[in-house]
Amino acid sequence: MNNKYKILIVEDESNIRSFVKTILETNGYQVLDSRTGTQAKMMFSSHCPDLIILDLGLPDFDGTEFIKEVRKSHSVPIIVLSARTQEEDKVQALDLGANDYVTKPFGTAELLARVRAALRNSRHGIDGEKEGNKPFVLRDLKIDYESRTVTMKHMSVKLTQTEFNIVALLSEHAGKVMTYSVIIQTIWGSSDTGSIKKLQVNMANIRKKLGIKPGSNQYISNELGVGYRMYNE
Ligand code: CA
């Protein structure tokens, strides 16, 4: 691989750190690794990595603090590594601007897919910025922002205004996990106890109209207890 991406791994558990490092190096990435948040901050400012893989439970401070720090000035993609016991932290990390998460234990293929998706996401411009108003195309799905129309296999898909807004939002952030709270805030402006239910009902209708089989993760993945993600490949 001639175009070497630089990836910073921040993880205090040495076995996981070296596992991730080996996988990435084997696949042609250049890797920097750090055991602590303090060291990671220094490495981040001196090496400007293309991607950060971040453990949330660090010895010196919480990984979410590092996300806040980075997001003050950078849109570099961040993939969070979280343990099952850190479910709430994971959602918080996404709300703070992390792009994605991988739950430990994770496999090689899964990690590499997330890395590719996050890098592709950043190549397509700053998160959330549309390239002009160019339609979003993913295999048979096409979303036209200007005419507010959706087609699947060249057939028009009739969505309600709210359903279109949800699909458009997810596609503008394709590759990134959008948490329930971020989607709800963006679409409805506020949230109440019924909001998640309302979102789920809309999503079920969207999937049905797009012809996505229930339970399948074609085009849109359902990140249980966290949110939704539109794929970008
Ligand atoms: Ca840890």
Side-chain angles (χ1 to χ4, degrees):
M1 222 174 274
N2 38 25
N3 189 3
K4 265 200 176 183
Y5 284 108
K6 209 186 295 173
I7 301 179
L8 171 63
I9 308 165
V10 191
E11 167 64 81
D12 58 321
E13 286 167 63
S14 61
N15 54 341
I16 300 178
R17 195 170 64 241
S18 62
F19 170 68
V20 174
K21 189 170 195 238
T22 307
I23 293 171
L24 295 173
E25 285 179 344
T26 308
N27 283 275
Y29 296 103
Q30 190 185 332
V31 179
L32 300 158
D33 62 303
S34 165
R35 198 184 66 80
T36 65
T38 311
Q39 194 192 1
K41 277 186 184 177
M42 290 191 305
M43 286 183 138
F44 175 71
S45 42
S46 51
H47 296 276
C48 302
D50 300 298
L51 172 78
I52 299 171
I53 296 178
L54 176 70
D55 174 35
L56 290 178
L58 296 172
D60 46 353
F61 53 81
D62 199 278
T64 52
E65 291 302 315
F66 184 61
I67 299 174
K68 279 187 212 162
E69 187 74 27
V70 169
R71 281 290 174 264
K72 281 181 191 163
S73 51
H74 290 270
S75 62
V76 55
I78 301 173
I79 298 175
V80 162
L81 296 180
S82 75
R84 295 233 176 258
T85 50
Q86 296 170 317
E87 291 288 300
E88 278 175 28
D89 298 354
K90 184 166 79 184
V91 174
Q92 195 203 351
L94 291 165
D95 283 340
L96 286 171
N99 296 59
D100 203 351
Y101 65 90
V102 177
T103 305
K104 299 176 197 176
F106 50 86
T108 307
E110 184 188 5
L111 180 71
L112 287 170
R114 300 302 171 90
V115 165
R116 282 195 307 271
L119 286 170
R120 194 175 316 109
N121 201 220
S122 70
R123 268 208 313 277
H124 286 193
I126 308 302
D127 190 28
E129 245 179 58
K130 272 187 264 174
E131 303 170 302
N133 253 346
K134 265 174 52 190
F136 172 86
V137 179
L138 177 65
R139 294 190 287 279
D140 295 323
L141 172 66
K142 183 175 172 188
I143 301 167
D144 189 317
Y145 303 114
E146 276 181 358
S147 60
R148 294 179 59 86
T149 53
V150 174
T151 56
M152 178 62 97
K153 294 181 178 154
H154 305 294
M155 300 283 282
S156 167
V157 178
K158 299 266 173 279
L159 298 181
T160 65
Q161 292 298 319
T162 301
E163 288 162 3
F164 180 84
N165 291 341
I166 294 170
V167 168
L169 177 69
L170 293 176
S171 65
E172 283 161 16
H173 299 267
K176 184 177 190 301
V177 177
M178 304 291 285
T179 61
Y180 298 129
S181 68
V182 166
I183 301 172
I184 289 164
Q185 286 290 335
T186 312
I187 302 297
W188 288 285
S190 64
S191 60
D192 53 57
T193 46
S195 298
I196 290 187
K197 187 74 203 155
K198 197 158 63 174
L199 174 59
Q200 286 168 337
V201 168
N202 274 279
M203 285 303 305
N205 289 334
I206 290 167
R207 283 161 175 277
K208 199 153 78 185
K209 290 179 182 181
L210 293 178
I212 300 172
K213 288 186 217 85
S216 113
N217 277 336
Q218 268 179 297
Y219 298 100
I220 300 169
S221 74
N222 181 3
E223 310 285 331
L224 284 179
V226 178
Y228 297 97
R229 173 219 317 266
M230 178 85 82
Y231 289 106
N232 58 359
E233 74 171 344

